[in-house]
Amino acid sequence: MSTIADRKHSVLVVDDHEIVVKGICAAIAEKPDWQVVASTTDPAHALTLIADLRPEVAVFDYSMARMDGVELTRRALELHPPLKVIIFTMHYNDIVIRDALLAGAQGFILKSDLTRTLDAGLDALALGEPFLPGPAANVLLRAYLGKPAAEAPSLTAREREIIKLIALGHSGKEIAIKLAISPKTVDVHRTSIHRKLNLRNLADLVRYSVRNGLIEP
């Protein structure tokens, strides 16, 4: 005889911040047809959970220090191809959408809209439908039409200088000397760059620089 849990859609939640994981799990717990079968702050552990539990849907953070959501999606689908993945992120831009789709993600949710759109996103994936709310759909449409999607938001000329120098391996002190600004100003710009582009670590920054022609691969 089947149990209530057997009739529920299963979800795995992965974010490297425990408070975010708890918030998402609490939101899903309010949906009678869904249950969180596992959650973790460790992307590597998530792969073990996917192999063992075979969840129907996974909710991955885009920016995680040890393994980003795109790479986690790629590896997860190699282990369990039927898995449906929702990526949630601070900002949409062409890089986020393109890379996540190519990795196999089927849905996107902005963190600022998480409580409002999570239900719709889960229900869409359960029906086999992609979930692309307005901003994500607009980015995808512009890419399809061959029109460049604007960064969200755009970098200043000085920020582009700094991101290039960071990607090339220069330290904050070296950048300050090269640009004749203070190390504190470099740090301010670095923080702004990471916030604007939804970057969490140096690897994210280097990937952005290569994809946007700031440095050679």
Side-chain angles (χ1 to χ4, degrees):
M1 187 174 84
S2 64
T3 66
I4 292 176
D6 292 332
R7 297 194 297 270
K8 291 186 176 183
H9 300 293
S10 56
V11 188
L12 170 71
V13 177
V14 186
D15 187 289
D16 56 358
H17 291 89
E18 183 66 33
I19 190 170
V20 177
V21 169
K22 289 181 177 179
I24 296 173
C25 290
I28 294 173
E30 296 180 1
K31 292 178 63 60
D33 297 329
W34 291 82
Q35 74 166 4
V36 176
V37 293
S39 63
T40 181
T41 59
D42 181 357
H45 183 221
L47 294 172
T48 299
L49 293 171
I50 289 165
D52 291 343
L53 301 174
R54 305 283 171 169
E56 183 177 348
V57 173
V59 180
F60 295 156
D61 183 20
Y62 174 75
S63 297
M64 293 184 284
R66 284 170 284 186
M67 184 190 308
D68 65 32
V70 171
E71 181 62 22
L72 180 55
T73 297
R74 187 177 297 111
R75 295 190 188 185
L77 291 174
E78 289 175 354
L79 289 170
H80 181 38
L83 181 69
K84 302 176 180 70
V85 176
I86 292 180
I87 297 288
F88 65 102
T89 178
M90 290 293 293
H91 304 289
Y92 290 129
N93 58 49
D94 56 337
I95 296 172
V96 173
I97 301 296
R98 181 192 63 201
D99 288 358
L101 286 175
L102 289 174
Q106 294 177 276
F108 298 88
I109 294 176
L110 278 174
K111 287 188 176 181
S112 58
D113 292 338
L114 184 64
T115 56
R116 185 173 61 84
T117 59
L118 180 61
D119 282 5
L122 290 173
D123 291 341
L125 265 64
L127 294 172
E129 299 291 337
F131 184 72
L132 296 171
N138 288 339
V139 169
L140 187 60
L141 179 61
R142 285 195 296 267
Y144 178 77
L145 295 174
K147 297 178 180 179
E151 293 171 357
S154 61
L155 298 176
T156 65
R158 179 50 60 97
E159 286 170 344
R160 289 178 68 84
E161 284 183 302
I162 290 175
I163 194 173
K164 178 178 179 179
L165 291 170
I166 294 172
L168 289 172
H170 294 280
S171 68
K173 184 176 180 180
E174 290 171 339
I175 294 171
I177 293 171
K178 188 175 185 65
L179 299 181
I181 57 179
S182 71
K184 184 176 180 180
T185 300
V186 174
D187 288 339
V188 169
H189 284 303
R190 186 199 298 261
T191 298
S192 176
I193 290 165
H194 280 257
R195 176 181 55 80
K196 285 182 177 183
L197 300 179
N198 195 23
L199 306 176
R200 280 286 296 278
N201 51 43
L202 180 59
D204 283 351
L205 187 148
V206 172
R207 280 194 291 269
Y208 175 89
S209 301
V210 171
R211 289 166 183 158
N212 287 270
L214 298 179
I215 63 173
E216 292 296 324

